[in-house]
Amino acid sequence: MKKITIPDIMKMKAEGKKIPVLTAYDYPFARILDEAGIPLILVGDSAGMVFAGYENTLPVTMDEMRYHTKAVVRGNKNALVVTDMPFLSYQVSIEDAKKNAGLLVKDGAEAVKLEGGVNMEDTIKAIIDMDVPVMGHIGLTPQSIHRMGGYRVQGREKKQSKKLLDDAKAVERAGAFSIVLEGIPADLAKEITDAVSIPTIGIGAGPYCDGQVLVIHDVLGLYDDIKPRFVKRYVNLKGIISSAVNKYADDVKQGKFPGKEHSF
């Protein structure tokens, strides 16, 4: 594979090619996704929930995102690496946003992702003006869950759907190279995808987006207590791991491990 770049991702929309995206937070998963040919790896602030056990993404810090970014970059050769900007890293001031975006690029990210539409247009443009590519994110924005009253589908009402269309156009106008559409009705996602020239990456936004993104832990079935409707679980990895751990524990208890072949 050749190294995937921003123009490559944008070209995929122009050519009608669907864009598969997955999250990664560490070196081994980054290696696996890259070797599998995933073109874009997202170092999501979802790490706070699936990796660190936080209740939501709000506690995630810049230091944590920098740590995960460095680990993913070390495991990646070809995919485009995009890192989420965590809560408070870009909302307080444009200067903060520029500095923090720059730090993530110094850590190896090739683009950053931030949440918001019209209200973040100037911030997106300012980051792009310093030659840091930006991926937008509208719809159900996890950093806004308190305002939204939880993880609720956005854009069901006409006024709200009009706002999301305006948000998408603002993100495009600011110069973003792509935009995540999360938790919105499929017909609205199609309308937005048709209305903007940049790729749309859906999560819980139906089949009409230019690409799809899921959290790797959801895809692999590492948690069996939470399964959002929009997730397709491709394997029950938790069950496989639990079985292996139980066999290991039994072997140790019964004196079967280590054997001669495992000894010096």
Side-chain angles (χ1 to χ4, degrees):
M1 282 184 62
K2 73 179 185 71
K3 181 71 179 75
I4 302 297
T5 64
I6 298 288
D8 292 327
I9 297 298
M10 299 182 75
K11 186 179 179 183
M12 291 176 76
K13 172 167 182 149
E15 295 179 347
K17 296 178 180 177
K18 294 290 188 178
I19 307 165
V21 181
L22 285 169
T23 65
Y25 316 104
D26 55 25
Y27 175 83
F29 272 119
R31 283 191 60 175
I32 292 168
L33 300 190
D34 182 49
E35 290 170 4
I38 294 297
L40 195 160
I41 294 174
L42 175 64
V43 186
D45 59 357
S46 48
M49 301 173 73
V50 300
F51 196 92
Y54 297 146
E55 185 177 349
N56 53 54
T57 64
L58 295 175
V60 178
T61 66
M62 269 295 296
D63 285 344
E64 288 170 320
M65 293 310 301
R66 296 187 68 184
Y67 171 85
H68 289 294
T69 297
K70 291 173 184 177
V72 167
V73 168
R74 285 192 290 268
N76 176 66
K77 291 182 180 179
N78 300 304
L80 182 77
V81 176
V82 180
T83 296
D84 267 336
M85 298 190 71
F87 182 63
L88 284 187
S89 68
Y90 61 95
Q91 292 97 334
V92 176
S93 72
I94 287 180
E95 289 307 308
D96 276 356
K98 291 166 64 176
K99 177 182 178 181
N100 288 321
L103 288 172
L104 292 171
V105 170
K106 287 176 74 68
D107 293 330
E110 294 156 288
V112 298
K113 180 172 76 66
L114 56 88
E115 300 177 7
V118 172
N119 62 321
M120 284 294 155
E121 183 174 355
D122 290 342
T123 300
I124 294 171
K125 186 178 186 304
I127 294 172
I128 291 169
D129 282 348
M130 55 182 280
D131 286 333
V132 174
V134 173
M135 172 184 278
H137 184 158
I138 66 169
L140 195 172
T141 46
Q143 293 176 18
S144 307
I145 57 166
H146 293 317
R147 172 176 59 80
M148 295 178 175
Y151 298 98
R152 302 175 183 274
V153 173
Q154 303 294 303
R156 292 191 190 276
E157 300 173 1
K158 186 173 181 179
K159 182 178 179 181
Q160 199 176 48
S161 63
K162 170 65 166 61
K163 179 185 182 305
L164 289 178
L165 185 59
D166 290 343
D167 283 340
K169 290 180 177 178
V171 169
E172 178 187 33
R173 189 165 56 241
F177 76 93
S178 63
I179 181 170
V180 170
L181 307 180
E182 180 170 359
I184 67 175
D187 57 350
L188 176 58
K190 184 179 188 304
E191 182 180 0
I192 292 173
T193 299
D194 292 342
V196 297
S197 61
I198 58 177
T200 59
I201 309 297
I203 176 167
Y208 305 115
C209 297
D210 298 305
Q212 299 291 329
V213 60
L214 285 175
V215 171
I216 188 64
H217 293 62
D218 291 338
V219 170
L220 299 180
L222 283 164
Y223 295 101
D224 56 14
D225 54 338
I226 300 174
K227 186 184 177 185
R229 175 178 173 176
F230 56 82
V231 169
K232 181 174 181 178
R233 184 176 294 166
Y234 285 81
V235 65
N236 177 15
L237 202 55
K238 179 184 177 183
I240 294 172
I241 293 171
S242 294
S243 176
V245 170
N246 286 328
K247 288 177 181 177
Y248 163 76
D250 288 343
D251 281 356
V252 171
K253 292 173 183 177
Q254 295 169 21
K256 294 179 180 180
F257 179 82
K260 289 183 179 180
E261 67 273 30
H262 308 114
S263 304
F264 297 98

